[in-house]
Amino acid sequence: MAPDHGMPEAWRPNALINRLYERSVSKHADIAALPLEEQEAARAELRGKLKELLGSIPEQADELSAVVMESVDCGDYIREKVEFRTYDDLTMLAYVLVPQAAAASGSERRPAVLAVHGHGYGSKEVVGLTPTGEDNTGNPNLYKHFAVELARRGFVVIAPELLGFGERRMAEDAKAEPGGNSCFRLASSLMLMGQSLAGVRVYELLRTVDYAFTRPEIDPQRIGVMGMSGGGMVTALASALDVRFGATVVSGYTNLFKTSIMDRNHCLDNYVPGLLQYGEMPDWIGLIAPRPLFIESGSGDTVFPIRGSREAVARLQRIYDSANNGEAFGYEIFEGKHEISGAQSYQWLVSQLMS
Protein backbone atom coordinates (compact mmCIF):
# COMPACT_ATOMS: atom_id res chain seq x y z
CA MET A 1 0.00 0.00 0.00
CA ALA A 2 1.36 3.45 -0.90
CA PRO A 3 2.14 5.74 2.06
CA ASP A 4 -0.52 8.27 2.96
CA HIS A 5 1.29 11.58 2.57
CA GLY A 6 -1.82 13.34 3.82
CA MET A 7 -1.73 11.79 7.28
CA PRO A 8 -2.29 14.20 10.20
CA GLU A 9 0.79 16.00 11.51
CA ALA A 10 -0.24 14.91 15.02
CA TRP A 11 0.79 11.38 14.09
CA ARG A 12 4.36 12.47 13.41
CA PRO A 13 7.03 13.01 16.10
CA ASN A 14 8.43 16.25 14.65
CA ALA A 15 6.57 18.49 17.08
CA LEU A 16 7.83 16.45 20.04
CA ILE A 17 11.47 16.71 18.96
CA ASN A 18 11.15 20.43 18.25
CA ARG A 19 9.53 21.05 21.63
CA LEU A 20 12.21 19.08 23.48
CA TYR A 21 14.92 20.95 21.60
CA GLU A 22 13.44 24.37 22.45
CA ARG A 23 13.00 23.32 26.07
CA SER A 24 16.66 22.24 26.24
CA VAL A 25 18.15 25.36 24.68
CA SER A 26 16.00 27.62 26.85
CA LYS A 27 17.91 26.28 29.87
CA HIS A 28 21.42 26.77 28.45
CA ALA A 29 23.71 29.09 30.36
CA ASP A 30 24.81 32.10 28.32
CA ILE A 31 28.38 32.45 29.53
CA ALA A 32 29.09 35.24 27.03
CA ALA A 33 26.46 37.40 28.76
CA LEU A 34 28.22 37.16 32.13
CA PRO A 35 30.67 39.76 33.43
CA LEU A 36 34.23 38.86 32.44
CA GLU A 37 35.24 38.09 36.02
CA GLU A 38 32.48 35.45 36.30
CA GLN A 39 33.08 33.68 33.00
CA GLU A 40 35.93 31.36 33.95
CA ALA A 41 34.02 29.93 36.91
CA ALA A 42 31.03 29.32 34.62
CA ARG A 43 33.28 27.62 32.05
CA ALA A 44 34.80 25.45 34.76
CA GLU A 45 31.33 24.35 35.86
CA LEU A 46 30.32 23.49 32.29
CA ARG A 47 33.61 21.60 31.77
CA GLY A 48 32.77 19.51 34.81
CA LYS A 49 29.40 18.67 33.27
CA LEU A 50 31.09 17.76 29.97
CA LYS A 51 33.45 15.40 31.76
CA GLU A 52 30.50 13.82 33.54
CA LEU A 53 28.49 13.34 30.33
CA LEU A 54 31.42 11.91 28.39
CA GLY A 55 32.24 9.36 31.08
CA SER A 56 35.26 7.12 30.43
CA ILE A 57 37.76 9.63 31.84
CA PRO A 58 39.71 7.94 34.66
CA GLU A 59 41.21 10.02 37.44
CA GLN A 60 44.40 7.91 37.57
CA ALA A 61 46.56 7.54 34.44
CA ASP A 62 48.36 4.28 33.65
CA GLU A 63 52.01 4.09 32.63
CA LEU A 64 52.37 4.81 28.92
CA SER A 65 54.92 2.04 28.30
CA ALA A 66 55.59 3.50 24.86
CA VAL A 67 57.30 1.47 22.14
CA VAL A 68 58.64 2.60 18.75
CA MET A 69 57.59 -0.14 16.32
CA GLU A 70 59.17 1.21 13.13
CA SER A 71 61.07 4.21 11.80
CA VAL A 72 61.14 5.26 8.15
CA ASP A 73 63.20 8.04 6.54
CA CYS A 74 60.75 9.97 4.33
CA GLY A 75 63.27 12.56 3.11
CA ASP A 76 62.34 15.80 4.86
CA TYR A 77 60.90 14.01 7.90
CA ILE A 78 61.16 10.72 9.76
CA ARG A 79 57.96 8.71 10.23
CA GLU A 80 57.72 6.52 13.30
CA LYS A 81 54.95 4.10 14.19
CA VAL A 82 54.49 3.90 17.95
CA GLU A 83 52.22 2.33 20.50
CA PHE A 84 51.46 3.30 24.08
CA ARG A 85 48.92 2.36 26.71
CA THR A 86 45.98 4.61 27.34
CA TYR A 87 43.94 2.84 30.01
CA ASP A 88 42.52 -0.53 31.03
CA ASP A 89 42.95 -2.88 28.07
CA LEU A 90 43.54 -0.22 25.41
CA THR A 91 46.74 0.43 23.48
CA MET A 92 46.98 3.43 21.17
CA LEU A 93 48.67 3.22 17.78
CA ALA A 94 50.02 6.46 16.32
CA TYR A 95 52.36 7.83 13.70
CA VAL A 96 54.93 10.43 14.71
CA LEU A 97 56.38 12.66 12.00
CA VAL A 98 59.65 14.30 13.05
CA PRO A 99 61.13 16.94 10.70
CA GLN A 100 64.72 16.10 9.79
CA ALA A 101 65.87 19.42 11.25
CA ALA A 102 64.36 18.45 14.62
CA ALA A 103 65.92 15.00 14.49
CA ALA A 104 69.33 16.50 13.69
CA SER A 105 69.25 19.33 16.26
CA GLY A 106 69.27 17.02 19.27
CA SER A 107 68.48 19.29 22.20
CA GLU A 108 66.28 21.88 20.45
CA ARG A 109 62.60 21.41 21.27
CA ARG A 110 59.94 22.17 18.66
CA PRO A 111 56.20 22.82 18.68
CA ALA A 112 53.96 19.83 18.03
CA VAL A 113 50.50 19.32 16.55
CA LEU A 114 48.24 16.33 17.10
CA ALA A 115 46.59 15.46 13.75
CA VAL A 116 43.24 13.76 14.35
CA HIS A 117 41.42 11.87 11.60
CA GLY A 118 37.71 11.11 11.38
CA HIS A 119 35.92 8.45 9.32
CA GLY A 120 38.02 6.55 6.83
CA TYR A 121 40.82 4.04 7.21
CA GLY A 122 42.55 5.65 10.16
CA SER A 123 45.79 7.49 10.85
CA LYS A 124 47.47 6.18 7.68
CA GLU A 125 45.07 8.42 5.77
CA VAL A 126 46.48 11.65 7.24
CA VAL A 127 50.18 10.68 7.02
CA GLY A 128 50.14 9.92 3.31
CA LEU A 129 49.83 6.13 3.34
CA THR A 130 47.42 3.72 1.69
CA PRO A 131 45.42 1.28 3.84
CA THR A 132 48.16 -1.33 3.33
CA GLY A 133 50.96 1.04 4.31
CA GLU A 134 52.44 2.07 0.95
CA ASP A 135 53.06 5.69 0.00
CA ASN A 136 49.81 7.21 -1.29
CA THR A 137 50.81 8.96 -4.50
CA GLY A 138 47.23 9.18 -5.75
CA ASN A 139 44.15 11.00 -4.46
CA PRO A 140 44.82 12.44 -0.99
CA ASN A 141 41.01 12.54 -0.39
CA LEU A 142 39.34 14.75 2.21
CA TYR A 143 42.31 14.69 4.61
CA LYS A 144 44.87 15.94 2.05
CA HIS A 145 47.72 14.30 4.01
CA PHE A 146 47.48 17.19 6.46
CA ALA A 147 49.85 15.63 8.99
CA VAL A 148 52.57 15.65 6.33
CA GLU A 149 51.76 19.26 5.44
CA LEU A 150 52.24 20.24 9.08
CA ALA A 151 55.51 18.30 9.41
CA ARG A 152 56.85 20.09 6.34
CA ARG A 153 56.14 23.37 8.11
CA GLY A 154 58.40 22.35 10.97
CA PHE A 155 56.00 20.76 13.46
CA VAL A 156 56.52 17.44 15.15
CA VAL A 157 53.21 15.76 14.34
CA ILE A 158 51.51 12.93 16.20
CA ALA A 159 48.63 11.24 14.36
CA PRO A 160 46.76 8.93 16.74
CA GLU A 161 44.52 6.14 15.46
CA LEU A 162 41.09 6.75 16.97
CA LEU A 163 39.40 3.75 18.54
CA GLY A 164 37.22 1.89 16.03
CA PHE A 165 39.19 2.74 12.87
CA GLY A 166 41.98 1.13 10.88
CA GLU A 167 44.01 -1.29 12.97
CA ARG A 168 41.95 -0.49 16.06
CA ARG A 169 38.66 -1.94 14.89
CA MET A 170 37.00 -4.72 16.84
CA ALA A 171 37.96 -8.25 15.84
CA GLU A 172 34.51 -8.77 14.32
CA ASP A 173 35.14 -5.91 11.88
CA ALA A 174 38.83 -6.45 11.15
CA LYS A 175 38.26 -8.12 7.78
CA ALA A 176 35.83 -5.52 6.47
CA GLU A 177 36.91 -3.15 3.70
CA PRO A 178 39.59 -0.65 4.85
CA GLY A 179 37.20 2.28 5.26
CA GLY A 180 34.86 0.28 7.47
CA ASN A 181 34.75 0.92 11.20
CA SER A 182 33.51 -0.36 14.54
CA CYS A 183 31.78 2.88 15.52
CA PHE A 184 28.24 1.54 15.87
CA ARG A 185 29.29 -1.62 17.68
CA LEU A 186 31.49 0.33 20.11
CA ALA A 187 29.17 3.32 20.64
CA SER A 188 26.04 1.25 21.25
CA SER A 189 27.84 -1.15 23.62
CA LEU A 190 29.40 1.69 25.61
CA MET A 191 26.07 3.54 25.86
CA LEU A 192 24.48 0.44 27.37
CA MET A 193 27.14 0.58 30.08
CA GLY A 194 26.75 4.28 30.80
CA GLN A 195 29.78 5.41 28.81
CA SER A 196 30.35 6.96 25.38
CA LEU A 197 32.67 6.34 22.47
CA ALA A 198 33.32 10.09 22.33
CA GLY A 199 34.47 9.94 25.95
CA VAL A 200 36.93 7.12 25.26
CA ARG A 201 38.33 8.89 22.23
CA VAL A 202 38.67 12.20 24.06
CA TYR A 203 40.49 10.54 26.95
CA GLU A 204 42.83 8.74 24.57
CA LEU A 205 43.64 12.06 22.87
CA LEU A 206 44.52 13.51 26.27
CA ARG A 207 46.81 10.52 26.81
CA THR A 208 48.40 11.33 23.46
CA VAL A 209 49.28 14.73 24.94
CA ASP A 210 50.85 12.85 27.86
CA TYR A 211 52.90 10.91 25.32
CA ALA A 212 53.91 14.13 23.53
CA PHE A 213 55.32 15.38 26.84
CA THR A 214 57.74 12.43 26.87
CA ARG A 215 59.19 13.15 23.41
CA PRO A 216 62.57 14.94 23.61
CA GLU A 217 61.89 16.83 20.35
CA ILE A 218 58.67 18.44 21.61
CA ASP A 219 58.30 21.67 23.57
CA PRO A 220 55.47 20.86 26.02
CA GLN A 221 54.51 24.54 26.18
CA ARG A 222 53.76 24.63 22.43
CA ILE A 223 51.31 21.86 21.59
CA GLY A 224 48.41 22.32 19.20
CA VAL A 225 45.75 20.04 17.75
CA MET A 226 43.95 19.86 14.40
CA GLY A 227 41.06 17.50 13.71
CA MET A 228 38.76 16.86 10.77
CA SER A 229 35.09 15.79 10.84
CA GLY A 230 34.64 13.21 13.62
CA GLY A 231 38.24 13.99 14.51
CA GLY A 232 37.12 17.61 14.78
CA MET A 233 34.58 16.58 17.40
CA VAL A 234 37.21 14.75 19.44
CA THR A 235 39.62 17.66 18.98
CA ALA A 236 37.09 20.25 20.13
CA LEU A 237 35.95 18.35 23.23
CA ALA A 238 39.49 17.39 24.26
CA SER A 239 40.69 20.98 23.93
CA ALA A 240 37.65 22.18 25.86
CA LEU A 241 38.79 19.98 28.75
CA ASP A 242 42.57 20.39 28.64
CA VAL A 243 44.42 23.71 28.69
CA ARG A 244 47.65 22.02 27.53
CA PHE A 245 46.42 22.60 23.97
CA GLY A 246 47.84 26.00 23.08
CA ALA A 247 46.09 26.27 19.70
CA THR A 248 43.17 24.34 18.19
CA VAL A 249 41.94 23.91 14.61
CA VAL A 250 38.53 22.30 14.05
CA SER A 251 37.87 21.39 10.42
CA GLY A 252 34.65 20.11 8.86
CA TYR A 253 32.69 19.83 12.11
CA THR A 254 31.69 23.16 13.71
CA ASN A 255 27.93 23.59 13.42
CA LEU A 256 24.77 23.38 15.49
CA PHE A 257 23.46 20.01 16.64
CA LYS A 258 20.08 21.16 15.32
CA THR A 259 21.36 21.66 11.76
CA SER A 260 23.78 18.72 11.59
CA ILE A 261 23.51 15.52 13.62
CA MET A 262 19.82 16.12 14.40
CA ASP A 263 19.04 17.01 10.81
CA ARG A 264 20.33 13.91 8.99
CA ASN A 265 21.60 10.42 9.67
CA HIS A 266 25.07 10.50 11.22
CA CYS A 267 27.36 7.89 12.73
CA LEU A 268 26.42 6.97 16.29
CA ASP A 269 29.85 8.12 17.50
CA ASN A 270 28.60 11.73 17.21
CA TYR A 271 26.02 11.31 19.97
CA VAL A 272 26.67 11.89 23.66
CA PRO A 273 23.55 11.34 25.79
CA GLY A 274 22.45 14.51 27.56
CA LEU A 275 24.86 16.88 25.81
CA LEU A 276 22.14 19.09 24.33
CA GLN A 277 20.51 19.57 27.72
CA TYR A 278 23.40 21.83 28.75
CA GLY A 279 24.68 23.42 25.54
CA GLU A 280 24.53 23.66 21.77
CA MET A 281 27.67 22.74 19.86
CA PRO A 282 29.20 26.27 19.95
CA ASP A 283 28.74 26.37 23.74
CA TRP A 284 30.89 23.26 24.13
CA ILE A 285 33.51 24.36 21.60
CA GLY A 286 33.46 27.78 23.26
CA LEU A 287 34.91 26.23 26.41
CA ILE A 288 38.26 26.48 24.62
CA ALA A 289 38.07 30.27 25.08
CA PRO A 290 40.09 32.34 25.63
CA ARG A 291 42.80 30.07 24.11
CA PRO A 292 43.37 30.38 20.34
CA LEU A 293 40.83 28.62 18.09
CA PHE A 294 40.50 28.42 14.30
CA ILE A 295 37.51 27.00 12.41
CA GLU A 296 37.45 25.93 8.77
CA SER A 297 34.30 24.84 6.92
CA GLY A 298 33.58 24.12 3.26
CA SER A 299 30.75 26.06 1.64
CA GLY A 300 29.58 22.85 -0.06
CA ASP A 301 29.81 20.58 2.98
CA THR A 302 26.71 18.37 3.07
CA VAL A 303 27.75 16.48 6.23
CA PHE A 304 27.96 19.57 8.45
CA PRO A 305 26.07 22.11 6.29
CA ILE A 306 27.39 25.64 5.94
CA ARG A 307 24.22 27.34 7.23
CA GLY A 308 24.79 25.85 10.67
CA SER A 309 28.53 26.50 10.45
CA ARG A 310 27.97 30.21 9.87
CA GLU A 311 25.65 30.40 12.87
CA ALA A 312 28.17 28.53 15.03
CA VAL A 313 31.02 30.82 13.94
CA ALA A 314 28.95 33.90 14.85
CA ARG A 315 28.24 32.46 18.30
CA LEU A 316 31.90 31.57 18.83
CA GLN A 317 33.02 35.06 17.83
CA ARG A 318 30.63 36.46 20.45
CA ILE A 319 32.05 34.09 23.08
CA TYR A 320 35.62 35.17 22.30
CA ASP A 321 34.73 38.85 22.17
CA SER A 322 33.04 38.58 25.56
CA ALA A 323 36.16 36.87 26.95
CA ASN A 324 38.14 39.94 25.85
CA ASN A 325 40.18 37.91 23.38
CA GLY A 326 38.36 38.24 20.06
CA GLU A 327 41.63 38.23 18.11
CA ALA A 328 42.34 34.67 19.31
CA PHE A 329 39.43 33.37 17.22
CA GLY A 330 39.69 32.91 13.46
CA TYR A 331 37.85 31.06 10.73
CA GLU A 332 37.82 30.31 7.02
CA ILE A 333 34.75 29.43 4.98
CA PHE A 334 36.30 28.08 1.80
CA GLU A 335 34.96 26.88 -1.51
CA GLY A 336 34.97 23.14 -1.02
CA LYS A 337 33.13 20.17 0.39
CA HIS A 338 33.59 18.05 3.51
CA GLU A 339 37.38 18.26 3.52
CA ILE A 340 40.48 19.85 4.97
CA SER A 341 41.37 23.26 3.55
CA GLY A 342 44.67 24.28 5.13
CA ALA A 343 44.78 27.46 3.05
CA GLN A 344 44.78 29.56 6.22
CA SER A 345 44.85 27.08 9.10
CA TYR A 346 48.38 25.77 8.54
CA GLN A 347 49.89 29.24 8.66
CA TRP A 348 47.61 30.13 11.58
CA LEU A 349 49.14 27.26 13.57
CA VAL A 350 52.62 28.50 12.62
CA SER A 351 51.73 31.98 13.89
CA GLN A 352 50.32 30.64 17.16
CA LEU A 353 52.98 28.06 18.05
CA MET A 354 56.19 29.08 16.28
CA SER A 355 56.36 32.82 16.91
Side-chain angles (χ1 to χ4, degrees):
M1 179 180 295
D4 180 5
H5 296 293
M7 68 175 62
E9 287 301 312
W11 294 2
R12 303 183 187 279
N14 299 62
L16 170 67
I17 296 302
N18 290 335
R19 178 171 55 80
L20 291 175
Y21 176 82
E22 294 302 329
R23 179 189 296 173
S24 293
V25 298
S26 70
K27 298 177 182 178
H28 294 172
D30 184 4
I31 294 177
L34 295 175
L36 182 62
E37 62 273 14
E38 297 178 18
Q39 289 187 18
E40 188 47 47
R43 277 193 288 270
E45 182 178 350
L46 196 56
R47 281 192 198 101
K49 180 55 67 174
L50 175 59
K51 196 171 181 180
E52 175 188 325
L53 293 171
L54 286 172
S56 309
I57 300 182
E59 296 296 330
Q60 185 89 21
D62 289 342
E63 289 293 326
L64 290 166
S65 304
V67 176
V68 177
M69 303 165 67
E70 66 178 35
S71 182
V72 178
D73 189 332
C74 298
D76 45 1
Y77 62 91
I78 295 170
R79 184 184 68 236
E80 296 179 358
K81 185 176 184 179
V82 303
E83 67 172 28
F84 51 88
R85 290 185 61 200
T86 52
Y87 75 114
D88 289 344
D89 302 310
L90 291 177
T91 297
M92 170 67 81
L93 295 178
Y95 285 99
V96 183
L97 309 185
V98 182
Q100 288 284 9
S105 65
S107 60
E108 181 187 355
R109 289 179 174 254
R110 285 178 171 257
V113 176
L114 276 54
V116 190
H117 67 85
H119 286 79
Y121 58 84
S123 54
K124 288 185 177 71
E125 204 158 5
V126 305
V127 301
L129 296 176
T130 66
T132 52
E134 290 83 25
D135 288 341
N136 183 359
T137 57
N139 180 13
N141 60 48
L142 74 161
Y143 294 107
K144 301 181 181 177
H145 303 167
F146 77 94
V148 176
E149 293 293 335
L150 291 169
R152 287 177 172 156
R153 286 163 172 78
F155 292 104
V156 179
V157 182
I158 304 176
E161 185 126 290
L162 296 186
L163 193 65
F165 295 107
E167 296 179 86
R168 302 191 71 211
R169 292 180 287 184
M170 293 189 73
E172 296 87 341
D173 303 315
K175 293 184 179 180
E177 54 90 19
N181 60 68
S182 296
C183 294
F184 184 85
R185 194 187 301 269
L186 282 166
S188 56
S189 297
L190 286 164
M191 283 183 183
L192 285 171
M193 294 179 278
Q195 300 188 40
S196 71
L197 182 52
V200 176
R201 288 174 176 170
V202 165
Y203 180 70
E204 287 202 305
L205 192 59
L206 302 185
R207 293 291 281 149
T208 305
V209 181
D210 294 342
Y211 172 69
F213 271 50
T214 72
R215 298 282 309 203
E217 314 94 336
I218 293 176
D219 180 350
Q221 301 304 312
R222 293 188 291 165
I223 294 178
V225 60
M226 180 172 182
M228 167 67 195
S229 191
M233 174 190 184
V234 177
T235 290
L237 297 182
S239 189
L241 289 176
D242 197 329
V243 298
R244 292 180 295 176
F245 291 111
T248 302
V249 176
V250 180
S251 180
Y253 174 71
T254 305
N255 216 277
L256 303 181
F257 294 134
K258 177 74 169 176
T259 54
S260 59
I261 67 171
M262 288 180 67
D263 187 60
R264 59 207 63 212
N265 291 331
H266 270 258
C267 180
L268 194 59
D269 66 356
N270 283 282
Y271 302 88
V272 178
L275 205 59
L276 190 51
Q277 289 182 285
Y278 299 93
E280 249 289 4
M281 191 189 297
D283 299 316
W284 298 110
I285 298 176
L287 292 178
I288 297 170
R291 287 173 289 128
L293 170 66
F294 192 91
I295 304 298
E296 58 175 30
S297 298
S299 59
D301 193 331
T302 58
V303 183
F304 290 92
I306 196 62
R307 177 172 62 90
S309 297
R310 291 183 188 277
E311 172 66 21
V313 162
R315 294 192 191 189
L316 285 165
Q317 186 67 71
R318 175 174 175 264
I319 289 169
Y320 271 78
D321 288 344
S322 74
N324 231 8
N325 204 18
E327 67 279 3
F329 177 68
Y331 66 93
E332 179 197 12
I333 295 177
F334 61 93
E335 289 189 17
K337 299 180 181 179
H338 188 60
E339 58 188 330
I340 288 278
S341 168
Q344 296 182 30
S345 57
Y346 297 154
Q347 187 56 41
W348 182 87
L349 282 167
V350 169
S351 71
Q352 297 297 322
L353 298 172
M354 288 190 173
S355 58

